């Protein structure tokens, strides 16, 4: 059986490029221990399409990208531009709290 090496989520949580979303999907997949083939099968797509979603998501349809992100456990949020800075700061702080709690639990 092939071993999957977990990859970290991008440091930037603001999805300013498709590449950041692709990195997030890859991180979710690898942290779940799924191979590309297993994730593709679970999402009903080809392994090649799954790989493109992770490496060059601008080459696939937006609907498919959203569907796979949801299936892989990657959450997306929409906030008004006027609230973007406060939402960004709040989410970053929440992620830090969760990561610290997980580190303390593992120790």
């Amino acid at each position: 059986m092939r071993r999957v090496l977990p990859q970290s989520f991008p440091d930037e949580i603001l999805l300013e490029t498709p590449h950041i979303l692709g990195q997030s999907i890859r991180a979710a997949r690898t942290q779940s221990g799924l191979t590309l083939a297993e994730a593709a099968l679970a999402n009903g797509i080809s392994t090649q399409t799954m790989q493109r979603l992770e490496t060059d998501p601008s080459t696939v349809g937006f609907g498919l990208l959203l569907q796979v992100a949801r299936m892989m456990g990657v959450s997306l949020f929409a906030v008004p531009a006027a609230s973007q800075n406060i939402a960004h700061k709040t989410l970053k702080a929440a992620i830090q709290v969760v990561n610290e709690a997980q580190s303390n639990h593992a120790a």
Side-chain angles (χ1 to χ4, degrees):
M1 182 151 93
R2 189 163 181 214
R3 184 171 173 218
V4 177
L5 298 175
Q7 296 186 9
S8 299
F9 275 82
D11 291 331
E12 181 52 60
I13 62 170
L14 185 60
L15 299 175
E16 294 183 308
T17 67
H19 184 70
I20 295 171
L21 182 53
Q23 289 176 320
S24 298
I25 291 170
R26 175 177 280 171
R29 174 183 63 79
T30 60
Q31 288 183 16
S32 296
L34 295 174
T35 65
L36 270 172
E38 291 167 336
L41 182 64
N43 283 286
I45 58 177
S46 71
T47 302
Q48 180 182 14
T49 300
M50 187 69 202
Q51 185 173 26
R52 285 192 353 236
L53 281 163
E54 292 182 357
T55 58
D56 190 9
S58 62
T59 64
V60 297
F62 187 66
L64 179 60
L65 186 57
L66 290 177
Q67 174 189 332
V68 171
R70 185 178 56 248
M71 288 288 293
M72 298 307 301
V74 176
S75 298
L76 304 173
F77 298 91
V79 296
S83 302
Q84 181 176 337
N85 286 338
I86 190 69
H88 187 259
K89 289 177 185 176
T90 303
L91 282 171
K92 289 278 279 192
I95 289 168
Q96 185 175 358
V97 168
V98 169
N99 288 340
E100 289 173 3
Q102 289 175 336
S103 293
N104 291 339
H105 182 68

